[in-house]
Amino acid sequence: AKAKILEYMVAQNRPYSAQNVFDNLHGIIVKSQVQSLMEQMANNNEGLVMKVYGAQKVFLADQTRFGACDDNEVAELVARVEAAEAQVA
């Protein structure tokens, strides 16, 4: 179950609540288990980070696993975006 949650969170690479993950996995994992596993993974540095905003807990994939982009990679990505925008316009 942890592997499925982590795979989903890394693939999406955006913040989600446990409820969002439960809904998006279409009930493959029991709701209470999703919440407890995500908290456990965040607390044990197992690929997730948890942010608490009042009573709301938001989880996201640990961004250190993606590595940093150097200037050449950023320039290449910008050029690809600009080319795509030019095709759409």
Side-chain angles (χ1 to χ4, degrees):
K2 281 184 181 182
K4 189 68 175 171
I5 292 170
L6 185 60
E7 177 185 334
Y8 176 76
M9 293 296 290
V10 169
Q12 297 302 310
N13 194 25
R14 57 163 291 200
Y16 282 110
S17 69
Q19 178 67 47
N20 296 139
V21 173
F22 170 75
D23 291 341
N24 295 340
L25 291 177
H26 306 289
I28 293 173
I29 305 168
V30 179
K31 182 178 176 181
S32 59
Q33 190 178 20
V34 170
Q35 178 74 38
S36 64
L37 285 175
M38 291 181 78
E39 287 182 16
Q40 183 182 46
M41 291 168 69
N43 292 333
N44 295 334
N45 296 320
E46 296 178 12
L48 292 184
V49 175
M50 177 174 61
K51 305 274 184 169
V52 180
Y53 300 100
Q56 180 71 31
K57 294 178 182 176
V58 177
F59 300 89
L60 59 142
D62 184 0
Q63 297 299 297
T64 59
R65 71 177 28 244
F66 296 107
C69 291
D70 64 21
D71 291 340
N72 292 334
E73 289 176 295
V74 172
E76 181 182 326
L77 291 171
V78 168
R80 288 174 53 194
V81 168
E82 289 172 350
E85 288 174 342
Q87 286 180 345
V88 173

